[in-house]
Amino acid sequence: MIGARLKQARLLAGMTQRELARALCESGYKVTAAAISKYEKEKSFPTARFMLLASAVLGVPGSYLLHQPETAVQWTAFRRQSGFGKKKQEAVMAYAADLAELQIELHSVLYPDSPPDLPAPVKAQNFQDAEEIAKQVRAAWEVGNRPLDNLVQTAEDRGVIVIGWDDESGQFDGLSGWCGGNPVTVINANRSADRKRFNLAREIGHLVMDTSYSGVDDESLAHRFAAALLVPAEHAFHELGRERRHLDWGELMMLKRKYGLSMAAWARRARDLRIISERCYETLNIERSKLGWRTVEPIEYLGDEEPLRLKQMAQRAVAEGLVAPDRMTQIGVDVWEPEFEQSDSEHLTVYDLLAMPEDERRAVMERAFELAAEEDFEIFEANEIFDDYDEDFDAETITKTADSA
């Protein structure tokens, strides 16, 4: 697996085989791109010196190249624009595979009896199937028909691995696949909250729908699933009515804030459910273009759609001593560690004690107990302690009970 890890590290660094060879030559190690290609395909094996220098050039520890992942990610759907080239695609997949592997590893240690809770793929041949499968996912997740306040964390709580990839170009939307029975999704962290919700819902749709026998475009079915997951048909009818001649942008603004679904997606949802006609939908799109709302809508959804599961598990694993902090930071997972400052006071604080080596801390505590034994302490009556804090406290009753004991 050294070849696969070498390729993954190279892709994460955004380097071609030729660029890696050139960088190694500049570091004093002569190697060709053809040789690196053989290493990655494991047709030949690199020397220890190559591994050491390559890890330094690629910005990973030597142990990274030697680590053997248990399973690989089988990617099933990749949503991006044509300008998002192959090199960028490979970098996204390498980064996501790394974090997915780590998350699966941590989950198996911290939650050994908690498998992912995502329904197995079901055949989806038409839009009605997509609507029904969305209902099944909601039922499996026990969220009913209520608006989903946080789709990312709802999915994470059910075992879906959600990874954020920051792409400022706007050409990447989502990626999904399976890693040893674990669902893996990647969303563009640089999108608005409502866009991240919809993109994640769409990737979940790709995971739970088998569209191999469908005559409908995969993305169209995933779009319909995403809309139904975020806004079930019953809720759309409740909010808009069964039949409308026109929709008001003001009401769509309010619905966006409530459901985290964009105004444009609400208009399409109304068209798909035949609440409005095709002509009405076209009119709304023309109005949206004239108002300049195609790229940025006039109101934001203020929900929090940030993946937190990996960070939370990493923090717990470090706190329990199951993994070293640098194992997390090697692949960009920040772990918070307290920084205790020495107090200016002549008296030690609890933070000063925590910062001390154990032997020194024990000696300080033993000396403190010795000094305390020599001090005279004022004895307080029970009513002096409690009267001011508990209006129902009966000091007289407690005193009589104590005297008779």
Side-chain angles (χ1 to χ4, degrees), residues 246-282:
H246 184 67
L247 295 182
D248 180 77
W249 288 113
E251 67 177 315
L252 296 186
M253 290 181 189
M254 297 303 101
L255 291 175
K256 176 179 179 177
R257 293 186 62 179
K258 181 176 180 179
Y259 288 89
L261 185 69
S262 71
M263 296 159 60
W266 261 105
R268 178 166 172 174
R269 185 75 174 132
R271 189 281 307 266
D272 289 343
L273 294 175
R274 298 183 180 180
I275 296 173
I276 60 174
S277 66
E278 185 69 33
R279 184 169 183 176
C280 178
Y281 178 64
E282 292 175 359

Side-chain angles (χ1 to χ4, degrees), residues 297-312:
E297 294 186 340
I299 191 169
E300 292 184 12
Y301 173 67
L302 302 178
D304 178 15
E305 295 292 343
E306 178 188 359
L308 297 177
R309 190 64 166 174
L310 177 57
K311 294 180 181 179
Q312 180 264 323

